[in-house]
């Protein structure tokens, strides 16, 4: 019975065949692969045994474990009971103390598991800033990585060091990929990660027998291949020069662009606009607060309310025509509309685009701090 | 006589190690050690105070939202900002559903397996389980067929040989007392609660973009606007969805969580006499109404004496480091958080190690004391302070539960009391949620859509220097942040967190912290399987990452800060109950 397939297991949980197929095509969607691959996913999941997972927590806040609890495609119950065999995870496991460690050691000895790491790893002072069962995090990670098939760094801290590694990094916190160099390491940054992307990564691995294609920061392209700005539902307002200029102003209530309030969508690669959070309920920009770039390294140093530096990026060569100002638009925004309207004129548009981001642009009541942090 | 180390304590947030001395089948002494340290507060120095909420929220991903909330309160207090009424209501709703969801997760997914033997459920008769379930509740998922299916799933899972997170636990331990049918019912509800918690917390996404780590707090209010004419704001549809989630929340809490507690507790009534701990209880109070009156009142109780609730003066709070991995010039005395010399210095054994040297320093937690008393915080402290203050909803619900269990108020001072108080509080808040949504809807109907007070958003409008504090009741207890702002930047930031109170080590006078005191006297049937230790520790709902960050790694800037004596924690948000 050890080789119970995921299909059988999911059926055992009361999911219909139809639900299962829906799940497979949904996963194909998240993974940004053709729908026809849904069949491959289905076959892979019908034949694979439950893949063992060892989930380690170090300098973490358990936010990514909590995010896992919010998984809905499949649910955490299906993930933990049917799809995966979570052989070690301190926050959810029944065993404690020595017996918990023995369960982990047994799984490590058997091998063939995916290692998931949450939290950064403190390396200063012989690792005394994080010990579990009397052993240092550095030691535990090395031991668990040795027999793993692949390592997933779950969340910003494991992927890039996150908050503990921010200056002055008092504990010598390091990311997983700085310490594990002889195994494939895949980063799923985010604060916390979106569980949809964790699920999709696991399914990709089970389907194709390899990790998904990654960018130079080890992030899977299916989830981190596009800029938030490029897929943002409020992009039209950016292009039209319709900006939120103060919290709770008319533009804020109408869902205009949050760039002036410090939104980091233009410098952030993440699929939030496509998959959203909590079963597709919402995501930061939709809820009215700018993106904080939590999938990017060192995002804590960008300054939450500082405007992202757009000049690093080449502006597009053309814009769709912009409607002339009407009485529906705040007169204070008129200067801005004018600036945006200039963008349509080809090459001159590039200069105007850049000037749009300058703090000295006459923009009426804009009171967001414009200085760079 | 044996020394036992339990590390890791699982099914908690963070890294906790418990060492106990066992003599004659019971714990004779205990030590609690937090074994992870990050040093987050240093990172806050020099930053924009308006972004402190986002950073401090990352103290903990389980008590998500509470540090963000406390942080904006601290900055608002420093800058003299009063948030719009809608923002107050939205914060109550967000915090309220956080309590309800977090407490249910704690009961079923972190605590239940201390009382529920999953393997025993395989022996259950589904028909008898159905009878049991229908006798205690009209919750619809209670048929024989339903429990037959749950049992079949459980059996298939066990037969697979891949036990995953349920491997190597203390199944079959003599201290498990439930009949197989009660165990099977609890397993079913464990699984149902997994789905339920995911659904109801979508309220956080609606009002704050996502959970965990909501992105909606602002100094001055909230970032999710209200506009009944907009699809990009809180509108009538949002109200309707919230009401739906909160009905789902209330139904489960009243028909499943409360009924399970009342069904399981009678098998473990001996635990109403175990695990009392320090007997002192502190609550900051929470859930202000439009006049600032708190639904759960503020105050503290000493020596289990419910006849007197003392008013809080935060200047009485000190922190000791005699047994913590920090240095003070004079470690015989505690220091107020504003005066703390918090230089970390690890003096424990180098890893790998077998046991800590508990005669010396043995944890990353400091030892906070109120007027030199160790204090327990959390649901039990809140319910006791409210009960002793005569808060009628609390008195009625506590008496209802005690009546069902045939116990008096003295039963509350225990491991079981802690677990019961958490459920009582959840029932109360599950009922408040809909009330707050109605209050929000009425405000909107009356034309009030403001969510942000923006006059102090621009740092140009700030004084050269400002200082303030914010506090909250987090699910795990009293939480406070203190901030000092200079030249528009954070000069100093301090937090004193629930688990710092509860998980504190000994102080300079040798007084144990609440975990430690609660473990003394706990019976241990099998030294190799210290299930009983987990019961008492889990009854506190430990959250360790939160607790360990009370520091300024550079150590010295904090020393100079002084505050006006009148500037106490009991100032603007809190209306104190008079002494009884």
């Amino acid at each position: 019975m050890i080789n119970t397939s995921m299909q059988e297991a999911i059926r055992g949980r009361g999911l219909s065949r139809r639900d299962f197929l829906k799940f497979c095509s949904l996963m194909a969607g998240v993974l940004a692969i053709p729908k026809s691959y849904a069949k491959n996913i289905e076959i892979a999941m019908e034949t694979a045994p439950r893949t063992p997972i060892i989930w380690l927590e170090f300098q973490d806040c358990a936010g990514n474990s909590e995010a896992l609890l919010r998984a809905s495609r499949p649910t955490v119950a299906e993930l933990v009971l049917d799809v995966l065999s979570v052989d070690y995870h301190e926050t959810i496991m029944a065993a404690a103390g020595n017996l918990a460690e023995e369960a982990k050691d047994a799984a490590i000895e058997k091998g063939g598991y995916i290692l998931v790491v949450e939290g950064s790893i403190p390396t200063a002072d012989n690792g005394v800033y994080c010990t579990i069962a009397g052993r240092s995090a550095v030691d535990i990670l090395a031991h668990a990585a040795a027999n793993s098939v692949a390592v997933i760094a779950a969340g910003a801290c494991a992927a890039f060091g996150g908050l503990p590694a921010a200056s002055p990094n008092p504990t010598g916190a390091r990311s997983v990929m700085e310490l594990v160099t002889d195994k494939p390491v895949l980063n799923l940054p985010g604060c916390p990660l979106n569980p949809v992307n964790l699920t999709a990564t696991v399914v990709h691995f089970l389907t194709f027998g390899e990790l998904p294609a990654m960018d130079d920061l080890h992030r899977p392209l299916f989830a981190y291949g596009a800029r938030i700005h490029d897929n943002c539902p409020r992009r039209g307002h950016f292009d039209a020069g319709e900006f939120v200029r103060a919290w709770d102003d008319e533009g804020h209530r109408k869902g205009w662009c949050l760039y002036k309030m410090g939104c980091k969508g233009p410098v952030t690669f993440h699929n939030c606009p496509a998959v959203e959070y909590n079963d597709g309920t919402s995501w930061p920009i939709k809820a009215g607060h700018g993106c904080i770039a939590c999938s990017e390294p060192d995002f804590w140093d960008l300054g939450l309310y500082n405007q992202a530096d757009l000049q690093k990026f080449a502006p597009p060569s053309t814009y769709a025509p912009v409607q002339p100002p009407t009485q529906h638009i705040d007169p204070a925004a008129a200067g801005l509309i004018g600036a945006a309207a200039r963008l349509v004129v080809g090459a001159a548009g590039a200069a105007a685009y850049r000037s749009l981001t300058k703090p000295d642009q006459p923009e009426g009541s804009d009171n967001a701090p414009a200085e760079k942090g | 006589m044996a020394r036992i180390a339990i590390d890791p304590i699982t099914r908690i947030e963070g890294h906790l190690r418990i060492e106990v001395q066992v003599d004659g089948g019971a714990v004779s002494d205990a030590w609690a050690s937090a074994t992870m340290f990050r040093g987050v507060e240093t990172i806050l120095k020099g930053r924009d105070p308006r972004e402190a909420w986002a950073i401090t929220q990352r103290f903990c991903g389980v008590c998500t939202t509470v540090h963000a909330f406390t942080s904006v309160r601290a900055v608002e207090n420093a800058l003299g900002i009063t948030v719009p009424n809608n923002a107050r209501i939205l914060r109550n709703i967000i915090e309220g559903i956080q309590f309800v969801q977090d407490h249910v997760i704690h009961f079923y997914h972190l605590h239940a397996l201390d009382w529920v033997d999953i393997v025993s459920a395989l022996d259950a008769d589904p028909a008898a389980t159905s009878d049991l379930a229908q006798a205690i509740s009209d919750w619809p998922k209670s048929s024989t067929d339903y429990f037959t299916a749950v049992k079949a799933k459980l059996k298939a899972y066990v037969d697979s040989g891949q036990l995953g997170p349920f491997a190597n636990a203390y199944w079959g331990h003599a201290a498990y007392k439930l009949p197989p049918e009660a165990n099977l019912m609890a397993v079913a509800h464990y699984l149902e609660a997994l789905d339920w918690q995911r659904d109801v917390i979508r309220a956080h996404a609606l009002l704050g973009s996502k959970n965990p780590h909501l992105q909606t707090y602002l100094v001055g209010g909230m970032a999710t606007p209200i506009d009944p004419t907009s699809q990009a704001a809180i509108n009538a549809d949002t109200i309707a969805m919230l009401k739906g989630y909160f009905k789902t929340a209330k139904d489960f809490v009243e028909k499943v969580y409360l009924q399970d507690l009342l069904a399981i507790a009678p098998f473990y009534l001996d635990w109403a006499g175990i695990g009392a701990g320090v007997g002192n209880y502190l609550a900051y109070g929470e859930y202000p109404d439009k006049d600032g009156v708190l639904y759960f009142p503020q105050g503290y109780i000493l020596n289990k004496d419910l006849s007197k609730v003392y008013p809080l003066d935060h200047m009485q709070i000190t922190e000791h480091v005699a047994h913590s991995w920090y240095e003070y010039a004079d470690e015989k005395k505690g220091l107020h958080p504003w005066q703390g010399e918090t230089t970390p210095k690890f003096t424990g054994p180098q890893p790998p190690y077998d046991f800590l040297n508990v005669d010396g320093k043995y944890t990353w937690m400091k030892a906070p004391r109120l007027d030199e008393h160790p204090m327990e915080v959390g649901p039990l402290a809140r319910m006791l302070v409210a009960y002793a203050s005569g808060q009628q909803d609390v008195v009625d619900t506590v008496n209802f539960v005690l009546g069902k269990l045939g116990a008096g108020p003295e039963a509350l001072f225990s491991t079981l009391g802690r677990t019961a108080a958490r459920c009582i509080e959840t029932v109360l808040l599950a009922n408040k949620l809909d009330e707050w949504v109605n209050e929000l809807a009425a405000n909107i109907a009356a034309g009030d859509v403001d969510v942000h007070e923006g006059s102090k958003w621009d740092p140009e409008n700030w004084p050269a220097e400002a200082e303030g504090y914010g506090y909250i009741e987090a699910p795990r207890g009293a939480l406070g942040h203190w901030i000092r702002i200079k030249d528009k930047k954070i000069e100093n930031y301090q937090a004193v967190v629930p688990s710092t109170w509860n998980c504190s080590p000994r102080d300079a006078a040798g007084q144990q912290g609440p975990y430690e005191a609660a473990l003394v006297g706990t019976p241990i049937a099998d030294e190799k399987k210290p299930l009983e230790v987990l019961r008492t520790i889990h009854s506190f709902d430990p959250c360790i990452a939160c607790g360990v960050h009370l520091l300024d790694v550079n150590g010295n800037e904090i020393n100079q800060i002084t505050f006006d004596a009148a500037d106490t924690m009991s100032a603007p948000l809190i209306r104190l109950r008079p002494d009884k």
Side-chain angles (χ1 to χ4, degrees):
Chain A
M1 282 296 285
I2 287 176
N3 286 330
T4 301
S5 75
M6 258 174 279
Q7 164 68 9
E8 288 169 46
I10 286 175
R11 279 223 185 106
R13 285 275 304 152
L15 275 187
S16 66
R17 171 97 190 149
R18 190 164 162 275
D19 288 336
F20 177 71
L21 293 177
K22 226 166 81 182
F23 165 68
C24 291
S25 60
L26 192 110
M27 276 299 115
V30 170
L31 287 162
I33 55 180
K35 288 281 181 197
S36 57
Y37 277 71
K39 184 72 187 164
N40 294 24
I41 292 176
E42 182 195 332
I43 292 167
M45 293 187 62
E46 278 179 336
T47 52
R50 277 162 55 216
T51 302
I53 296 277
I54 293 176
W55 185 302
L56 300 177
E57 294 175 73
F58 298 124
Q59 284 179 304
D60 72 319
C61 72
N64 298 286
S65 293
E66 279 283 336
L68 177 71
L69 277 184
R70 309 293 181 266
S72 56
R73 312 164 176 172
T75 69
V76 64
E78 290 151 4
L79 263 179
V80 169
L81 300 179
D82 306 328
V83 180
L84 305 171
S85 181
V86 182
D87 293 340
Y88 187 88
H89 188 312
E90 285 184 61
T91 307
I92 62 170
M93 69 193 301
N98 295 342
L99 290 173
E101 295 306 288
E102 284 170 19
K104 184 179 70 182
D105 291 344
I108 289 174
E109 195 168 325
K110 210 181 295 172
Y113 53 89
I114 296 175
L115 177 64
V116 181
V117 180
E118 177 175 9
S120 54
I121 302 97
T123 60
D125 301 327
N126 195 32
V128 300
Y129 298 108
C130 181
T131 64
I132 300 162
R135 294 170 62 199
S136 71
V138 176
D139 192 20
I140 295 166
L141 175 61
H143 181 223
N147 269 0
S148 69
V149 175
V151 185
I152 296 175
C157 296
F160 302 131
L163 200 50
S167 175
N169 193 354
T171 61
R174 297 280 178 269
S175 68
V176 172
M177 66 181 175
E178 288 178 282
L179 298 175
V180 178
T181 51
D182 57 349
K183 296 282 177 182
V185 175
L186 179 132
N187 287 331
L188 294 175
C191 196
L193 58 69
N194 194 326
V196 171
N197 293 333
L198 177 63
T199 321
T201 299
V202 169
V203 173
H204 184 108
F205 180 80
L206 296 176
T207 307
F208 303 120
E210 59 182 21
L211 294 174
M214 298 183 271
D215 66 12
D216 57 348
L217 292 170
H218 291 218
R219 303 178 296 191
L221 291 171
F222 74 81
Y224 303 87
R227 220 176 253 130
I228 283 184
H229 191 54
D230 295 341
N231 290 317
C232 183
R234 299 189 179 196
R235 176 60 182 267
H237 295 292
F238 177 91
D239 291 347
E242 295 175 336
F243 293 99
V244 177
R245 307 159 74 74
W247 301 115
D248 217 8
D249 70 1
E250 191 193 352
H252 193 212
R253 292 173 184 163
K254 298 298 180 207
W256 287 4
C257 176
L258 288 156
Y259 171 72
K260 295 285 184 186
M261 304 309 287
C263 180
K264 304 297 184 297
V267 295
T268 305
F269 289 79
H270 210 173
N271 58 351
C272 307
V275 297
E276 307 188 54
Y277 291 83
N278 299 95
D279 213 2
T281 305
S282 190
W283 63 292
I285 291 173
K286 181 174 176 180
H289 191 287
C291 163
I292 67 169
C294 71
S295 60
E296 297 296 326
D298 305 323
F299 68 97
W300 290 113
D301 295 330
L302 294 174
L304 230 60
Y305 304 109
N306 292 342
Q307 287 178 27
D309 190 354
L310 291 187
Q311 296 175 60
K312 285 177 182 166
F313 299 94
S317 55
T318 60
Y319 277 91
V322 176
Q323 293 296 318
T326 72
Q327 73 260 34
H328 295 301
I329 293 177
D330 179 355
L336 188 60
I337 296 298
R342 284 201 302 278
L343 298 183
V344 298
V345 291
Y353 184 90
R354 284 196 294 273
S355 74
L356 182 66
T357 69
K358 294 264 175 72
D360 57 352
Q361 194 71 13
E363 288 160 12
S365 64
D366 188 352
N367 58 6
E371 73 275 14
K372 301 293 184 281
Chain B
M1 179 157 160
R3 180 73 167 273
I4 305 170
I6 310 166
D7 182 3
I9 297 282
T10 50
R11 284 180 279 128
I12 64 164
E13 194 289 326
H15 300 289
L16 173 64
R17 173 188 183 92
I18 296 289
E19 294 192 11
V20 292
Q21 191 73 31
V22 179
D23 284 309
V27 173
S28 60
D29 209 346
W31 299 269
S33 174
T35 63
M36 190 274 276
F37 167 81
R38 287 179 294 177
V40 175
E41 267 129 333
T42 356
I43 296 157
L44 285 159
K45 284 175 186 284
R47 288 177 186 267
D48 183 344
R50 298 173 304 173
E51 68 184 41
W53 69 264
I55 292 173
T56 59
Q57 181 162 223
R58 271 71 184 182
F59 281 151
C60 184
V62 175
C63 352
T64 190
T65 209
V66 301
H67 287 281
F69 192 164
T70 315
S71 179
V72 291
R73 273 185 174 171
V75 181
E76 286 157 1
N77 176 259
L79 299 175
I81 298 169
T82 303
V83 303
N85 198 29
N86 284 326
R88 174 191 62 81
I89 300 168
L90 287 167
R91 290 175 181 186
N92 278 354
I93 293 171
I94 288 172
E95 181 73 356
I97 187 62
Q98 169 70 9
F99 266 64
V100 170
Q101 187 239 20
D102 198 41
H103 284 351
V104 170
I105 289 177
H106 176 264
F107 183 75
Y108 286 102
H109 306 128
L110 304 182
H111 200 18
L113 301 184
D114 301 336
W115 314 99
V116 172
D117 185 340
I118 289 187
V119 174
S120 150
L122 291 171
D123 296 329
D125 170 15
T129 309
S130 173
D131 290 344
L132 168 68
Q134 292 178 3
I136 64 169
S137 173
D138 59 357
W139 184 245
K141 291 186 171 178
S142 62
S143 68
T144 302
D145 284 353
Y146 176 67
F147 289 114
T148 302
V150 172
K151 184 179 168 182
K153 280 174 197 169
L154 182 63
K155 185 168 189 313
Y157 185 80
V158 171
D159 287 348
S160 78
Q162 286 182 295
L163 291 179
F166 305 107
N168 271 24
Y170 302 143
W171 313 131
H173 194 289
Y176 283 119
K177 303 290 190 196
L178 296 182
E181 286 72 24
N183 283 318
L184 180 60
M185 183 177 73
V187 168
H189 294 165
Y190 177 105
L191 295 172
E192 288 175 41
L194 276 177
D195 287 338
W196 173 92
Q197 59 86 24
R198 188 191 68 246
D199 282 345
V200 299
I201 210 62
R202 290 173 70 187
H204 271 186
L206 275 181
L207 299 179
S209 82
K210 64 193 176 86
N211 169 288
H213 293 338
L214 290 71
Q215 206 152 304
T216 187
Y217 284 98
L218 292 174
V219 167
M222 304 301 281
T224 304
I226 297 173
D227 187 344
T229 70
S230 172
Q231 196 70 291
I234 293 168
N235 55 26
D237 192 33
T238 320
I239 299 287
M241 290 174 81
L242 288 174
K243 289 181 92 68
Y245 293 140
F246 295 160
K247 182 176 185 311
T248 303
K250 182 172 179 288
D251 280 354
F252 191 84
V253 166
E254 292 184 346
K255 295 181 179 180
V256 184
Y257 178 18
L258 175 62
Q259 304 311 329
D260 281 354
L261 178 92
L262 294 175
I264 291 172
F267 291 93
Y268 292 107
L269 281 181
D270 49 332
W271 285 85
I274 298 170
V278 297
N280 305 321
Y281 303 92
L282 166 66
Y284 289 169
E286 190 49 77
Y287 300 108
D289 68 12
K290 62 183 177 1
D291 300 318
V293 178
L294 299 175
Y295 183 59
F296 293 150
Q298 184 185 63
Y300 67 95
I301 289 167
L302 293 177
N303 300 318
K304 305 179 189 171
D305 178 4
L306 296 179
S307 71
K308 187 165 174 61
V309 178
Y310 296 87
L312 177 65
D313 172 4
H314 82 126
M315 294 309 291
Q316 293 177 306
I317 295 173
T318 56
E319 293 186 293
H320 289 254
V321 297
H323 290 278
S324 312
W325 286 316
Y326 306 96
E327 281 185 319
Y328 276 4
D330 177 4
E331 298 189 354
K332 292 193 174 63
K333 290 194 298 189
L335 295 174
H336 187 273
W338 286 329
Q339 301 163 330
E341 302 165 29
T342 46
T343 312
K345 188 179 183 191
F346 183 81
T347 56
Q350 289 296 312
Y353 58 82
D354 292 325
F355 290 100
L356 294 163
N357 172 18
V358 294
D359 294 331
K361 294 168 182 276
Y362 59 87
T363 179
W364 287 113
M365 287 285 177
K366 286 186 182 178
R369 297 291 183 263
L370 182 71
D371 196 20
E372 299 304 323
H373 299 295
M375 306 298 294
E376 174 174 341
V377 300
L380 178 59
R382 278 190 291 266
M383 293 303 99
L384 288 174
V385 168
Y387 189 80
S389 301
Q391 203 273 30
Q392 203 57 50
D393 288 357
V394 173
V395 171
D396 292 347
T397 313
V398 167
N399 286 342
F400 167 78
V401 169
L402 288 174
K404 286 276 185 185
L405 300 180
E410 67 284 353
L412 294 168
F413 306 117
S414 67
T415 295
L416 188 62
R418 225 168 263 124
T419 299
R422 188 171 290 107
C423 181
I424 289 166
E425 155 172 291
T426 310
V427 170
L428 291 170
L429 289 172
N431 278 282
K432 287 297 278 186
L433 286 168
D434 195 56
E435 210 176 289
W436 287 322
V437 174
N438 289 340
E439 195 183 0
L440 179 69
N443 253 14
I444 298 172
D448 177 6
V449 295
D450 293 347
V451 296
H452 188 250
E453 160 51 46
S455 62
K456 298 277 180 61
W457 178 254
D458 186 347
E460 292 306 317
N461 298 332
W462 297 356
E465 293 189 44
E467 57 209 11
Y469 49 82
Y471 43 79
I472 200 171
E473 284 293 335
R476 289 159 186 82
L479 164 64
H481 286 195
W482 285 260
I483 189 170
R484 187 174 170 85
I485 301 166
K486 190 176 181 185
D487 298 331
K488 305 174 179 51
K489 305 287 185 200
I490 296 171
E491 185 180 49
N492 184 48
Y493 204 100
Q494 289 284 299
V496 181
V497 172
S499 293
T500 323
W501 288 101
N502 288 340
C503 184
S504 96
R506 284 147 170 82
D507 55 30
Q511 296 185 96
Q512 295 166 320
Y515 290 179
E516 296 175 338
L519 285 173
V520 174
T522 299
I524 302 289
D526 179 349
E527 289 167 5
K528 291 194 164 39
K529 297 179 175 177
L531 171 64
E532 299 90 340
V533 170
L534 293 186
R535 286 181 176 171
T536 292
I537 292 298
H538 283 152
S539 74
F540 284 94
D541 193 5
C543 197
I544 306 302
C546 261
V548 185
H549 54 75
L550 310 173
L551 51 126
D552 160 22
V553 170
N554 299 322
N556 36 25
E557 290 104 326
I558 297 174
N559 304 352
Q560 306 307 319
I561 297 167
T562 56
F563 281 70
D564 221 338
D567 190 20
T568 67
M569 291 186 62
S570 52
L573 281 171
I574 300 296
R575 175 171 300 176
L576 281 173
R577 299 261 164 174
D579 271 7
K580 294 188 78 176

